[in-house]
Amino acid sequence: MATSGGGNYRNGTHKSSMKVDRSLSLNSNPKSSVKSKSLPSSGPRRNSTGSLAGGAAKDNAGVPGRVRVAVRLRPRNAEELVEDADFADCVELQPELKRLKLRKNNWDSDTYEFDEVLTEFASQKRVYEVVAKPVVESVLDGYNGTIMAYGQTGTGKTYTLGRLGEEDTAARGIMVRAMEDILADVSLETDSVSVSYLQLYMETIQDLLDPANDNIPIVEDPKTGDVSVPGATLVEIRDQHSFVELLRLGEAHRFAANTKLNTESSRSHAILMVHVKRSVKARDSAFSSENGNSPHMKTLKPSLVRKGKLVVVDLAGSERIDKSGQTSFLVLNKLEVYWDSVWARFAPCLGGGGCGGWGLVKLYKEDKDREEKKKERSLCCSGLRCIQGSEGHTLEEAKSINLSLSALGKCINALAENSAHVPVRDSKLTRLLKDSFGGTARTSLVITIGPSPRHRGETASTIMFGQRAMKVENMLKLKEEFDYKSLARRLDIQLDKLIAEHERQQKAFEDEIERINVEAQNRISEFESNHADALEKERLKYQKDYMDSIKKLEEQLVKNQQKNGSEKVPVGLREDGSALTSNTESSKVSAAEEVAELKKLLQKENLLRKTAEEEVNNLKSQIAQWKRSEASGNSEILKLRKMLEDEASQKEKLEGEIAILQSQLLQLSFDADETTRRLDRGGSGKVPSGLDSLISQVKHHQQDSGNGEKASIAKLFEQVGLQKILSLLEAEDADVRIHAVKVVANLAAEEMNQEKIVEAGGLTSLLMLLRNSEDETIHRVAAGAIANLAMNETNQELIMSQGGIALLSMTAANAEDPQTLRMVAGAIANLCGNDKLQMKLRSEGGIKALLGMVRCRHADVLAQVARGIANFAKCESRAATQGTKTGRSLLIEDGALPWIVQNANNEASPIRRHIELALCHLAQHEANAKDMISGGALWELVRISRDCAREDIRTLSHRTLTSSPTFQAEMRRLRIGH
């Protein structure tokens, strides 16, 4: 493009003084600022560690990110419509080229390029999406971000950033929309969002949420260099309404004044700080329970916390004092002055200050004869500030604003020129924005300009500020740390729970021991009581028998005595008395016999008594033994009780499974009866007896597992037959269809079965399942079977001819399960390897479906997507080599290049390997070189040629770079050694 300077420009700098800007932003393609005249250019910052020309960044290094700058044009206001009606706008926007022309006159203009050019018709929503949304997303990912508005007063900075949109929701500014996105993405249960709202007024930091806090110090961390304002009010945000109320409160406390350029001109820099603290899930494990009872600590790691800070800065307007109505007085002579476009003269002081001097009396400008008239009041002449009055205070405000903006411009100039010294400490504004320019934050700047030719100088100054800011490169760093405090709190809670649970278990154990002891004592007491009663009964019995025996003996003795006393001799007595002696001797003999018998009875009783005592001792020893065995029996009882509980739970599970099996059996019986009746009604007297057995065999196959799975599949295939298995794909029972498609998928995994399945119509049946079924499991398994069949080139053409790619694309669009997406991506990836199907695959949406599945972000899905892209790129490279392919790659036309570049250094080795191959194949076609250079792929190719772990890929990348003239020219221009 020809410009007023007559020179050519490329990538935003004059060709004769161009240096390399090696900053690579992750959220945009870097566009350089352009002016047609020769401008001082600058190379990359020497302290930048993130440039890809020097190798991949390490984990602790930052990610390079250039400051993105957008320009927004304000429409003409009512005054400009009248006063500038005969003049054209001083700027001409070319939003489709992202260019802006600043007219010098009717035939000459300067041209500039920005990251975004927003016309006066751009909506607030579009401004937010192109300027602020990438920064907000980075803050949610754990980075710092800054959004800033710069421009002349009255050009719409506060409208762009701080508009609340209460009357018209479409007019909501960046602050409100950013908080809406933040609150929509965070979880208030685990995350926190808090805000501070400050203003920098006359070089003092004041709290807009607490006006009494009007001199807040800036604190800088000596280790990290981070700047903070700990004295500011920090309010936690739970909903959007409370945030809008805080903004309204802050705006009410912000300083504003009425100037000629703006009726509500901001006289301070407003700074909104949003602190987002997010917990990274699925990174720690706490406590687990064994058998549902006793908790054990297995692994415990502190959770990760990402802390992002969003800073939204509404700068006060840059202005010229004479245009904004803050003109200082000019002494014309000793008594007359010209002040604020009003003639005035000195008169005796009426200010009441007691200074004894002269006051300043303002006269109306229209009084040509300078007749003295008081306009409002007389002022004390004791000093300049006093003479200037309220306008003088506004003048001081304007001076402070311009000084802070000038300090900010100096810092940006120093950063853009790689100066060894950056004057950050010249102003509190530059100290607060230390992280935004040249720091670790992702920064977006929107500069606002007006169309009026009367303010061309201010517009040019604003544009040059944006041009210099585009040369500043930040090093983005993830703010991630371990949340040890949260871990300590969780440990305290878990410890309290464990202590309480232990106390409950200890109390239950003690209660159980007490109950067992009481029960044992009761049983022992009962046994002793029963034993004592038995002994007493036995003793009484023996005593009674003894007494009865004594009594009988006594009675027998009495009878014997009576009998002996009454006996007489029948013969007469002789003189010598011989008969009497004979009777006495016989009675003595009988008495001796009775005594001997009594002694025998007594001995017998003694033996019985000793036997009873021995039995009592034996019983006592048995009781002691029972007591000893009872303690061991209690533990056995507890074990048995636990075993019974386990058996009960197992029994319940088995009963549930039995109920399910019974219901399935009843359903199968019902289906078999229905089939029999239907066939009988149709005239066939024979029911296919193999139907029930076929269903049971297919279902039984799904229950087989382990090493015999392939054997069971082969056995089922031989016994049942492929046709019968395929017929079950159209069964009414969803379970039968699921089981059948799983069997077909397993059969399709064997290459020797694939041809038989296709000849029997299995491929058509699988595609019908994708079209008609709504079951996610059927979609997943059917897509896996199609992926297996798609490994054969003949089958690939059949799949395409039967509309398979359209069905796979539809399945991918509707699926959410990562495993389903992995199967669909694998099928499409196999189809991408066929040279004959390239155009048809793309026309039927295969490439877009493949790229659409990256939304899942699952590593297995991304690996299949990367494999498909590598296959497609390889086929295109082969076709270009053979001369059958011309023009750019279809992958680049469908927008796959940004994703390829973004994942070229992915942590997962399968994804990285396929992406590296895809880049090498794309680079072999010279028609893709320019797009790959503009998309940042050149840096990845250089990295692959140097750092790739696989030698074949590294060699291929090196050969591609050395054989491409376009790449060689660009590498020489960028001074990349290879």
Side-chain angles (χ1 to χ4, degrees):
M1 175 185 291
T3 60
S4 60
N8 295 327
Y9 62 87
R10 178 181 177 84
N11 292 335
T13 54
H14 195 274
K15 188 174 181 180
S16 62
S17 61
M18 180 178 63
K19 293 185 180 180
V20 181
D21 184 0
R22 288 158 63 183
S23 62
L24 293 177
S25 174
L26 291 181
N27 61 348
S28 68
N29 290 330
K31 289 183 176 292
S32 305
S33 57
V34 116
K35 186 178 179 182
S36 55
K37 293 183 178 180
S38 178
L39 297 174
S41 61
S42 63
R45 298 185 62 199
R46 294 180 178 84
N47 60 348
S48 173
T49 61
S51 176
L52 295 183
K58 296 182 179 178
D59 293 340
N60 58 353
V63 178
R66 179 178 57 77
V67 175
R68 299 184 74 250
V69 181
V71 59
R72 187 181 192 186
L73 177 65
R74 171 184 59 78
R76 288 194 177 192
N77 54 30
E79 180 183 357
E80 292 170 346
L81 290 174
V82 175
E83 296 187 5
D84 300 336
D86 297 333
F87 300 95
D89 291 348
C90 66
V91 292
E92 177 186 349
L93 303 185
Q94 296 176 335
E96 65 280 355
L97 300 177
K98 297 184 179 180
R99 291 179 183 171
L100 176 149
K101 287 186 176 181
L102 179 63
R103 292 192 178 93
K104 293 181 178 179
N105 44 49
N106 291 335
W107 59 85
D108 194 9
S109 63
D110 294 334
T111 303
Y112 304 90
E113 278 192 3
F114 291 93
D115 292 302
E116 293 292 341
V117 175
L118 303 169
T119 66
E120 65 269 29
F121 305 108
S123 65
Q124 292 279 74
K125 180 179 180 181
R126 169 161 174 75
V127 173
Y128 170 75
E129 288 179 347
V130 300
V131 174
K133 192 167 185 178
V135 179
V136 174
E137 292 174 348
S138 297
V139 171
L140 290 171
D141 289 337
Y143 296 90
N144 288 345
T146 301
I147 305 167
M148 189 169 69
Y150 178 92
Q152 184 188 10
T153 183
T155 54
K157 299 182 298 301
T158 303
Y159 176 83
T160 300
L161 295 181
R163 186 80 171 184
L164 300 182
E166 295 174 327
E167 298 178 357
D168 183 9
T169 57
R172 302 190 313 278
I174 287 176
M175 292 182 181
V176 178
R177 294 177 185 269
M179 184 56 67
E180 288 176 355
D181 283 358
I182 291 174
L183 291 176
D185 194 73
V186 302
S187 172
L188 296 180
E189 296 179 357
T190 58
D191 306 335
S192 65
V193 180
S194 54
V195 300
S196 299
Y197 201 11
L198 312 173
Q199 70 172 352
L200 180 60
Y201 176 71
M202 301 286 286
E203 282 300 302
T204 61
I205 300 176
Q206 303 177 5
D207 196 336
L208 290 175
L209 303 180
D210 183 11
N213 192 8
D214 58 356
N215 192 10
I216 302 174
I218 299 176
V219 178
E220 184 172 347
D221 192 330
K223 294 182 179 179
T224 62
D226 293 340
V227 175
S228 61
V229 280
T233 302
L234 195 63
V235 180
E236 186 173 356
I237 301 299
R238 307 292 295 179
D239 54 68
Q240 184 70 14
H241 176 72
S242 62
F243 175 69
V244 174
E245 291 298 323
L246 286 178
L247 289 183
R248 185 183 293 109
L249 176 64
E251 288 298 324
H253 295 149
R254 190 177 177 188
F255 285 97
N258 184 4
T259 67
K260 290 183 177 180
L261 297 179
N262 192 359
T263 59
E264 295 182 1
S265 176
S266 301
R267 313 310 296 166
S268 65
H269 307 299
I271 304 169
L272 176 70
M273 295 184 178
V274 182
H275 302 270
V276 181
K277 180 178 178 182
R278 307 193 69 184
S279 297
V280 181
K281 298 181 179 179
R283 291 293 184 91
D284 60 347
S285 59
F287 295 91
S288 62
S289 297
E290 184 177 356
N291 294 329
N293 289 325
S294 67
H296 298 278
M297 185 184 300
K298 291 186 177 179
T299 58
L300 188 63
K301 297 180 181 178
S303 59
L304 286 174
V305 174
R306 289 179 178 172
K307 296 180 179 180
K309 181 173 71 173
L310 174 64
V311 180
V312 184
V313 185
D314 180 11
L315 295 175
S318 61
E319 58 190 25
R320 293 187 179 179
I321 295 176
D322 56 345
K323 289 190 176 183
S324 61
Q326 315 305 324
T327 306
S328 179
F329 67 87
L330 173 67
V331 178
L332 300 180
N333 52 48
K334 291 184 178 180
L335 294 178
E336 295 180 347
V337 298
Y338 185 75
W339 174 33
D340 198 14
S341 303
V342 178
W343 288 102
R345 64 178 298 171
F346 287 107
C349 178
L350 300 176
C355 62
W358 293 78
L360 190 64
V361 180
K362 297 172 71 174
L363 304 177
Y364 289 108
K365 184 177 180 180
E366 292 79 7
D367 296 338
K368 297 181 180 180
D369 57 352
R370 302 183 183 177
E371 179 183 358
E372 294 187 3
K373 294 181 181 179
K374 286 186 178 181
K375 183 178 182 181
E376 291 180 355
R377 58 192 176 96
S378 296
L379 303 174
C380 180
C381 65
S382 59
L384 177 63
R385 291 283 300 274
C386 194
I387 291 175
Q388 289 176 328
S390 61
E391 274 84 2
H393 183 66
T394 309
L395 176 63
E396 291 299 316
E397 291 177 345
K399 289 180 180 179
S400 176
I401 292 170
N402 288 344
L403 284 175
S404 61
L405 293 178
S406 175
L408 178 61
K410 290 178 181 178
C411 290
I412 291 178
N413 287 342
L415 291 170
E417 297 173 0
N418 293 318
S419 175
H421 172 66
V422 180
V424 177
R425 296 187 174 273
D426 287 359
S427 170
K428 288 187 177 180
L429 177 63
T430 55
R431 291 186 66 191
L432 287 173
L433 298 179
K434 178 182 178 181
D435 194 46
S436 303
F437 292 95
T440 62
R442 185 186 298 279
T443 301
S444 285
L445 171 67
V446 54
I447 59 173
T448 57
I449 59 175
S452 175
R454 290 180 295 143
H455 305 302
R456 185 189 179 283
E458 289 80 357
T459 301
S461 175
T462 302
I463 291 173
M464 293 309 301
F465 180 88
Q467 292 283 285
R468 290 189 293 270
M470 289 180 69
K471 298 180 180 180
V472 178
E473 180 180 346
N474 296 343
M475 299 305 301
L476 309 185
K477 289 187 179 180
L478 184 66
K479 308 296 182 180
E480 191 175 61
E481 62 185 25
F482 289 112
D483 190 4
Y484 290 104
K485 293 183 179 179
S486 175
L487 174 62
R489 288 195 299 271
R490 287 195 291 111
L491 285 176
D492 290 338
I493 294 172
Q494 290 292 344
L495 181 60
D496 292 339
K497 289 182 179 180
L498 288 174
I499 292 174
E501 181 65 23
H502 176 71
E503 291 178 351
R504 285 194 295 270
Q505 292 183 358
Q506 184 70 19
K507 183 65 169 60
F509 178 74
E510 291 176 355
D511 293 342
E512 185 67 16
I513 293 297
E514 183 67 23
R515 185 188 64 79
I516 292 174
N517 288 334
V518 171
E519 183 179 352
Q521 291 294 336
N522 293 335
R523 291 177 62 184
I524 292 171
S525 299
E526 182 180 359
F527 182 79
E528 289 178 347
S529 176
N530 294 335
H531 182 66
D533 293 342
L535 288 178
E536 184 66 21
K537 290 180 180 180
E538 192 70 20
R539 188 185 65 80
L540 292 175
K541 179 182 178 183
Y542 287 139
Q543 187 177 4
K544 184 179 179 181
D545 293 343
Y546 177 75
M547 295 303 295
D548 290 342
S549 299
I550 295 297
K551 187 176 181 181
K552 287 180 180 179
L553 290 174
E554 289 178 350
E555 289 178 355
Q556 185 69 27
L557 181 60
V558 171
K559 288 181 180 180
N560 291 334
Q561 290 177 353
Q562 290 177 357
K563 182 178 179 181
N564 293 330
S566 60
E567 285 183 352
K568 293 181 178 180
V569 180
V571 293
L573 292 174
R574 294 183 294 177
E575 293 180 356
D576 54 4
S578 57
L580 180 60
T581 302
S582 177
N583 291 335
T584 303
E585 290 176 358
S586 64
S587 64
K588 287 181 179 180
V589 172
S590 63
E593 291 176 355
E594 290 178 358
V595 170
E597 187 177 354
L598 287 174
K599 286 181 179 179
K600 291 179 181 179
L601 290 174
L602 286 174
Q603 291 176 356
K604 185 178 180 181
E605 291 293 333
N606 289 331
L607 291 174
L608 291 175
R609 185 173 181 179
K610 289 180 180 179
T611 303
E613 289 178 354
E614 290 177 357
E615 291 180 358
V616 170
N617 292 331
N618 291 332
L619 290 174
K620 287 183 178 180
S621 64
Q622 289 178 5
I623 291 173
Q625 186 177 359
W626 289 344
K627 288 181 179 180
R628 288 192 298 269
S629 63
E630 187 174 9
S632 61
N634 290 333
S635 61
E636 294 293 334
I637 291 172
L638 292 176
K639 292 181 180 179
L640 291 173
R641 184 176 299 172
K642 188 174 181 180
M643 290 175 61
L644 288 174
E645 292 177 355
D646 294 341
E647 290 292 337
S649 61
Q650 189 68 20
K651 182 180 179 181
E652 290 179 359
K653 292 181 180 178
L654 291 175
E655 289 178 351
E657 293 178 359
I658 290 171
I660 294 173
L661 292 174
Q662 288 177 348
S663 63
Q664 292 179 353
L665 181 60
L666 291 175
Q667 182 65 33
L668 288 175
S669 300
F670 177 76
D671 292 341
D673 294 341
E674 286 292 328
T675 304
T676 304
R677 287 194 294 271
R678 185 164 55 251
L679 292 176
D680 290 340
R681 289 195 298 269
S684 175
K686 185 178 180 180
V687 179
S689 59
L691 179 62
D692 293 339
S693 62
L694 176 59
I695 294 174
S696 62
Q697 286 176 346
V698 171
K699 289 190 174 182
H700 177 71
H701 160 70
Q702 296 302 320
Q703 297 173 359
D704 292 338
S705 61
N707 297 329
E709 182 177 0
K710 290 186 177 180
S712 63
I713 295 173
K715 184 177 179 181
L716 178 67
F717 182 57
E718 294 175 359
Q719 293 179 353
V720 178
L722 182 60
Q723 287 294 342
K724 291 184 179 180
I725 295 175
L726 294 178
S727 66
L728 294 179
L729 295 176
E730 301 177 0
E732 296 180 357
D733 189 352
D735 291 336
V736 174
R737 290 200 304 273
I738 292 174
H739 296 321
V741 74
K742 287 182 178 180
V743 173
V744 174
N746 288 325
L747 291 173
E750 298 291 337
E751 186 176 358
M752 60 181 179
N753 298 329
Q754 293 179 359
E755 183 178 358
K756 298 178 182 179
I757 293 174
V758 174
E759 290 177 355
L763 176 60
T764 304
S765 299
L766 291 172
L767 293 175
M768 287 295 293
L769 285 176
L770 287 182
R771 178 183 290 108
N772 300 328
S773 178
E774 297 179 356
D775 189 273
E776 184 80 9
T777 303
I778 291 179
H779 286 175
R780 180 177 66 254
V781 182
I786 294 172
N788 290 334
L789 295 176
M791 290 188 292
N792 183 281
E793 184 176 355
T794 305
N795 296 341
Q796 292 173 357
E797 296 178 359
L798 289 175
I799 292 172
M800 295 297 294
S801 63
Q802 296 183 22
I805 191 63
L807 293 175
L808 290 171
S809 301
M810 179 184 66
T811 305
N814 298 330
E816 296 294 338
D817 180 42
Q819 296 305 319
T820 303
L821 292 174
R822 181 174 68 88
M823 296 297 182
V824 175
I828 298 178
N830 290 337
L831 295 174
C832 287
N834 193 319
D835 296 329
K836 304 175 183 178
L837 306 178
Q838 296 281 295
M839 295 303 297
K840 190 171 183 180
L841 185 67
R842 189 238 186 164
S843 63
E844 293 185 8
I847 301 301
K848 291 186 177 179
L850 200 63
L851 294 175
M853 284 183 278
V854 302
R855 71 182 188 278
C856 177
R857 298 184 179 181
H858 193 279
D860 293 339
V861 179
L862 296 182
Q864 294 299 328
V865 173
R867 184 171 70 87
I869 291 176
N871 290 343
F872 198 92
K874 182 178 181 180
C875 291
E876 283 192 328
S877 175
R878 190 160 51 236
T881 304
Q882 296 172 356
T884 58
K885 165 69 177 175
T886 58
R888 294 194 307 165
S889 169
L890 299 179
L891 291 172
I892 296 178
E893 292 182 358
D894 284 350
L897 186 59
W899 185 84
I900 294 174
V901 174
Q902 183 180 359
N903 289 271
N905 200 14
N906 196 290
E907 295 179 356
S909 58
I911 301 174
R912 183 174 64 254
R913 184 178 71 253
H914 291 308
I915 292 298
E916 289 173 347
L917 283 172
L919 279 173
C920 293
H921 290 312
L922 288 174
Q924 288 181 337
H925 192 23
E926 190 68 19
N928 301 329
K930 292 184 179 179
D931 292 307
M932 296 185 70
I933 291 172
S934 63
L938 176 59
W939 300 104
E940 294 299 332
L941 286 170
V942 173
R943 179 191 63 78
I944 293 169
S945 67
R946 294 175 177 176
D947 303 330
C948 183
R950 289 185 50 172
E951 184 178 359
D952 55 341
I953 300 178
R954 191 166 62 249
T955 304
L956 179 61
S957 176
H958 183 274
R959 186 170 64 248
T960 302
L961 288 173
T962 56
S963 62
S964 172
T966 305
F967 285 146
Q968 286 294 313
E970 184 67 11
M971 291 170 67
R972 286 193 298 272
R973 189 182 71 83
L974 297 178
R975 300 177 183 177
I976 299 176
H978 188 66

